[in-house]
C-alpha cells in the first residue's frame, strides 16, 4: 500500500477523493487546496493524497524521484513504460479498494490526478469495475489509447469527468489535453472541459470550477 497524506473534512466521511500528484512532487502537493474545494454544508470527505514510488526517470537524466512510471520523452513514448503504468494502476486500485473497505460506497469515490498522476487516474477510472462518482483529469494526457475501447468498464461508461488544462503549458501541451477530451467525448463520457491562461499548474478560477463540479457529484 502506498504511503498517503489524508485530510478529513469531518469525523464521519461518506465520500472520498483520491488524488495523484505529478512527476517529482508528492502527496503534500495538493493538500493545501482542500479548504478551497469545499462548499457550505459539504459532506464529510476523506481526501487521500498518495506518494508515488521513487524510481529513475529517463527525461531527468535517470535521476530517482517520485514518479508513477518512467517517461522516456516529452514528445513521444510517454506510455513506453507499460510495466510501470500497470504497477501504478494496481497501486491506485488498492487505494480505492481500501476506501470501499472503510465503508465508502464506490459511487461516492472520485479519482483525481494532475499531469502524470492524472494519466494514471484516467487509466484506472475508465477501467474500474464498479461505478465511481467521477474523474478529475488536470493538465494531463491519455496513455495506452489503443487499448481503451476494449478495456473500458461497462460500469463506468457514463462516468462524469472534469478535465482542465493550461493554454500556456510547456510540459504537457494543451493539444494533448484536447486529445484526451476528444477521446472521452467520442466514447460518450459526460465531460466538463475547461482551459485557463496558465502554465503547467492550477489557478484560482480552475479551483472554483472544480469545487462546483465536486459539489454536483458529492453534495
Amino acid at each position: 500500500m502506498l504511503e498517503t497524506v489524508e485530510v478529513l473534512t469531518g469525523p464521519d466521511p461518506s465520500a472520498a477523493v483520491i488524488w495523484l500528484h505529478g512527476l517529482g512532487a508528492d502527496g503534500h502537493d495538493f493538500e493545501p487546496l482542500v479548504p478551497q474545494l469545499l462548499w457550505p454544508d459539504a459532506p464529510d470527505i476523506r481526501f487521500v493524497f498518495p506518494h508515488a514510488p521513487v524510481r529513475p526517470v529517463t527525461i531527468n537524466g535517470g535521476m530517482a524521484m517520485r514518479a508513477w512510471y518512467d517517461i522516456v520523452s516529452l514528445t513521444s513514448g510517454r506510455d513506453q513504460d507499460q510495466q510501470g503504468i500497470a504497477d501504478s494502476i494496481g497501486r491506485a486500485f488498492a487505494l480505492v479498494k481500501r476506501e470501499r473497505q472503510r465503508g465508502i460506497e464506490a459511487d461516492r469515490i472520485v479519482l483525481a490526478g494532475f499531469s502524470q498522476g492524472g494519466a494514471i487516474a484516467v487509466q484506472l477510472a475508465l477501467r474500474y469495475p464498479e461505478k465511481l462518482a467521477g474523474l478529475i483529469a488536470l493538465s494531463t494526457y491519455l496513455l495506452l489509447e489503443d487499448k481503451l475501447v476494449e478495456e473500458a468498464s461497462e460500469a463506468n461508461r457514463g462516468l462524469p469527468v472534469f478535465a482542465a488544462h493550461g493554454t500556456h503549458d510547456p510540459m504537457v501541451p494543451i493539444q494533448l489535453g484536447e486529445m484526451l477530451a476528444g477521446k472521452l467525448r467520442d466514447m460518450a463520457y459526460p465531460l466538463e472541459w475547461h482551459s485557463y491562461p496558465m502554465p503547467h499548474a492550477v489557478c484560482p478560477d480552475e479551483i472554483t470550477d472544480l469545487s462546483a463540479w465536486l459539489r454536483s457529484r458529492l453534495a
Side-chain angles (χ1 to χ4, degrees):
M1 184 68 67
L2 293 168
E3 295 182 16
T4 60
V5 177
E6 296 191 3
V7 179
L8 274 69
T9 65
D12 188 23
S14 63
V17 178
I18 301 171
W19 194 315
L20 281 58
H21 63 75
L23 177 66
D26 63 22
H28 293 287
D29 202 28
F30 290 97
E31 182 184 4
L33 294 183
V34 171
Q36 302 172 54
L37 292 169
L38 301 180
W39 58 92
D41 301 320
D44 294 352
I45 303 171
R46 180 186 293 112
F47 285 83
V48 179
F49 301 101
H51 300 302
V54 175
R55 68 182 80 216
V57 177
T58 300
I59 60 166
N60 289 334
M63 183 182 302
M65 61 185 62
R66 293 199 180 277
W68 297 106
Y69 51 89
D70 186 24
I71 297 181
V72 177
S73 168
L74 286 177
T75 56
S76 63
R78 290 177 184 266
D79 56 3
Q80 286 187 11
D81 182 15
Q82 296 194 20
Q83 182 56 51
I85 293 168
D87 174 69
S88 287
I89 292 172
R91 289 171 182 264
F93 185 100
L95 292 175
V96 179
K97 183 177 179 180
R98 185 174 67 173
E99 291 310 305
R100 298 288 286 113
Q101 293 169 341
R102 286 168 157 178
I104 306 296
E105 297 295 331
D107 62 2
R108 300 285 292 163
I109 298 174
V110 173
L111 274 171
F114 176 82
S115 192
Q116 194 191 47
I120 293 297
V122 170
Q123 293 299 305
L124 176 57
L126 302 187
R127 291 165 171 80
Y128 194 75
E130 296 181 289
K131 182 172 175 57
L132 298 168
L135 166 65
I136 298 168
L138 305 180
S139 301
T140 191
Y141 47 89
L142 184 62
L143 295 170
L144 309 177
E145 179 178 357
D146 59 328
K147 299 181 180 180
L148 180 57
V149 173
E150 64 181 82
E151 294 180 356
S153 162
E154 286 299 326
N156 281 300
R157 285 289 183 180
L159 182 69
V161 183
F162 180 98
H165 217 104
T167 56
H168 310 312
D169 191 332
M171 301 298 294
V172 181
I174 190 171
Q175 290 82 4
L176 293 180
E178 291 170 339
M179 288 172 60
L180 168 61
K183 185 67 173 181
L184 294 173
R185 290 192 187 100
D186 289 345
M187 295 181 68
Y189 289 98
L191 174 68
E192 182 173 327
W193 164 260
H194 294 269
S195 62
Y196 304 93
M198 64 178 182
H200 197 58
V202 294
C203 66
D205 286 346
E206 181 179 24
I207 299 308
T208 298
D209 292 336
L210 181 53
S211 175
W213 182 88
L214 269 178
R215 182 175 186 170
S216 74
R217 302 309 311 146
L218 298 179

